[in-house]
Every structure is written in structure tokens, then in C-alpha cells.
Amino acid sequence: MIFSDDFPEGAIFSQSIPEKTRVSAGTPISVVVSLGNAEGKTQVPNLIGLPFSKVEQILNESDLRLGKVIYEPSSTVLPNTVIEQFPRPGFYVQKGSSVDVFVAKELSEIQKQNY
């Protein structure tokens, strides 16, 4: 994916095999997809594995804001650690967009007994 002023976001503007070329079924073809104009966009930072207390500051530095916060029980990471996010890290979004995070919470006593 590449920014382009000439092609709208989502448009394919390059491919590894020229059009109308005969190929065998199942032949892989690489394409380059336009991200559209770069103006007003920012890359989503990787928040996974970070303490929730740092999330809002990091998002503000990227001109993004905190969206939904969903707490999920986890036995593999410390409570208040980001375990997932949407949009995914590395995606380009409009500045000011929100990023939803999934945050680990401590297992309840009943959940601990089931592990």
C-alpha cells in the first residue's frame, strides 16, 4: 500500500503481471493498493503489550483518540495490559480517528478454578 495523489484510496494502481496476460489458475499476483492522499492521515501505533495507563498519551501524540475500552479476562498477561486493538498497528487512518483497545483484567475466582 502506497500513498497516491493520483489514485483514490483502495484503487489498485500496479500489479506484478500485466493485464490480459495468460496465467495458470492459482498463479499469485501481487498488487499495489493506493492509500489515497497522505494529507490528514496518520499511522496507528502499536499499543499491544503496553500498560493501559500509557495508551491515551501515545494516541494523542499520533493525533488519535481513545475509542472503546473492552476489558477481557486473561491468564497470560498482567491486568491493565493492552491485548488487542482496532484498527491494527500500522494501518493509516484519518487524524482524530479513535482506536479501540482490549485490556486484560484479572480472572475471577470461578475463572481461575476452570484453568
Side-chain angles (χ1 to χ4, degrees):
M1 299 181 91
I2 297 175
F3 287 109
S4 171
D5 292 333
D6 299 324
F7 294 91
E9 185 174 353
I12 295 174
F13 65 90
S14 171
Q15 60 189 46
S16 61
I17 299 174
E19 67 178 304
K20 298 183 182 179
T21 301
R22 288 186 170 266
V23 296
S24 300
T27 299
I29 299 173
S30 300
V31 297
V32 178
V33 179
S34 173
L35 291 170
N37 188 308
E39 188 174 328
K41 293 188 180 171
T42 187
Q43 191 172 26
V44 177
N46 185 359
L47 305 171
I48 298 169
L50 296 178
F52 180 64
S53 60
K54 294 185 177 185
V55 167
E56 207 155 6
Q57 176 189 349
I58 293 169
L59 290 174
N60 286 338
E61 291 170 358
S62 297
D63 292 322
L64 297 168
R65 60 187 177 83
L66 181 60
K68 295 177 188 172
V69 179
I70 300 102
Y71 288 91
E72 293 187 351
S74 176
S75 65
T76 59
V77 297
L78 292 173
N80 293 315
T81 301
V82 177
I83 53 177
E84 191 59 73
Q85 70 182 73
F86 182 80
R88 302 282 301 150
F91 275 70
Y92 286 90
V93 296
Q94 288 298 122
K95 290 180 181 179
S97 295
S98 61
V99 177
D100 298 337
V101 293
F102 297 80
V103 180
K105 71 176 183 178
E106 192 170 346
L107 294 174
S108 70
E109 288 304 315
I110 293 172
Q111 290 168 323
K112 287 179 185 177
Q113 291 171 7
N114 292 333
Y115 272 94

